[in-house]
Amino acid sequence: QLSGFNIVGEIPGTDLKDEIVLLGAHFDSWQGATGATDNASGSAEMMEALRIIKATGLQPRRTIRIGLWGAEEGGLIGSRTYVSEHLGTKDAPKPEHGKLSAYFNLDNGTGKIRGVWLQQNMAVKPIFEAWAGPLKDLGVTIMGPRNVGSTDHSSFDSVGIPAFQFVQERLEYNSRTHHTNMDFLDRVQLDDVKQAATVVAVFAWHAATRDGMLPRK
């Protein structure tokens, strides 16, 4: 029987504090190594994004929350439990369902963010393109329309929340470190981790300060 726990923290918002922008990554790992690229790097990047916002003194309008999920490797159990307890379902939504503007996830290794998988939510494409415009010098150019799965954003997407996985350079992720005994700290690309955290901070900030919540599918 699998068991685990989630770690949740937040930066409270101001005039729209009851609305939420959620950043997430799973902090459990495969047993063969320490899980440096799957998914310690993603967890660290999401924490660093909040640190960046906090350190600048910026005050987001919406609350920016982070969820570090347990038991992802056992079937997205941590994020699914959060969704069940806090959001409900499409047919029986709980109050927070209508207050969650967006969910952003990182779980594809240690490479730079190159864009966003849009989950066939094409209404967000021009919004994200505007946010990514100043990030072109960091290589953020891809707005991929397709649905991607197999990680925690799927838990939120399944109940109708605008939920997205970032497009990341895979580097050795699929070929070497993912669920292997080589997933140790020496495989982490530090400069790319810094780039990813910066990009997440920008997206979180924009999502938390724009006048309206993100459009839903």
Side-chain angles (χ1 to χ4, degrees):
Q1 180 179 358
L2 288 168
S3 62
F5 56 90
N6 296 326
I7 303 168
V8 179
E10 62 185 34
I11 299 175
T14 54
D15 61 313
L16 298 174
K17 63 183 179 181
D18 291 338
E19 298 178 3
I20 301 162
V21 173
L22 182 57
L23 310 180
H26 74 88
F27 70 91
D28 65 316
S29 62
W30 201 249
Q31 67 269 22
T34 60
T37 71
D38 182 28
N39 187 31
S41 57
S43 297
E45 287 155 4
M46 289 307 194
M47 288 191 290
E48 175 66 3
L50 263 69
R51 190 203 65 80
I52 290 170
I53 292 170
K54 189 75 172 176
T56 60
L58 293 170
Q59 293 184 304
R61 298 180 68 191
R62 292 179 181 85
T63 294
I64 302 177
R65 182 175 294 169
I66 184 172
L68 301 180
W69 314 119
E72 186 270 353
E73 300 290 7
L76 314 182
I77 292 172
S79 58
R80 285 179 173 173
T81 300
Y82 180 94
V83 167
S84 176
E85 292 184 356
H86 293 269
L87 306 180
T89 66
K90 284 183 180 179
D91 296 330
K94 295 185 177 182
E96 190 176 308
H97 190 287
K99 297 292 188 180
L100 183 52
S101 179
Y103 174 77
F104 296 103
N105 196 74
L106 275 172
D107 183 24
N108 279 150
T110 181
K112 291 180 179 178
I113 290 176
R114 293 303 191 185
V116 188
W117 297 115
L118 300 177
Q119 294 295 117
Q120 296 182 337
N121 184 351
M122 300 312 293
V124 302
K125 185 172 185 282
I127 299 169
F128 287 178
E129 285 177 336
W131 297 355
L135 301 173
K136 287 184 178 179
D137 63 328
L138 297 182
V140 183
T141 59
I142 298 170
M143 296 294 150
R146 61 182 283 223
N147 277 307
V148 295
S150 300
T151 189
D152 291 298
H153 74 288
S154 301
S155 302
F156 296 86
D157 181 65
S158 68
V159 297
I161 300 298
F164 309 97
Q165 172 84 342
F166 287 101
V167 180
Q168 286 181 270
E169 287 183 355
R170 292 303 183 98
L171 301 175
E172 336 171 284
Y173 184 63
N174 295 85
S175 61
R176 180 184 294 267
T177 63
H178 181 240
H179 291 186
T180 75
N181 61 0
M182 291 183 271
D183 193 6
F184 288 101
L185 182 61
D186 61 333
R187 312 321 302 179
V188 172
Q189 306 293 320
L190 182 58
D191 288 342
D192 294 353
V193 169
K194 293 177 181 178
Q195 184 264 12
T198 302
V199 173
V200 172
V202 170
F203 269 69
W205 172 252
H206 280 301
T209 55
R210 70 189 306 267
D211 286 337
M213 300 206 309
L214 287 182
R216 300 188 172 194
K217 288 193 282 191

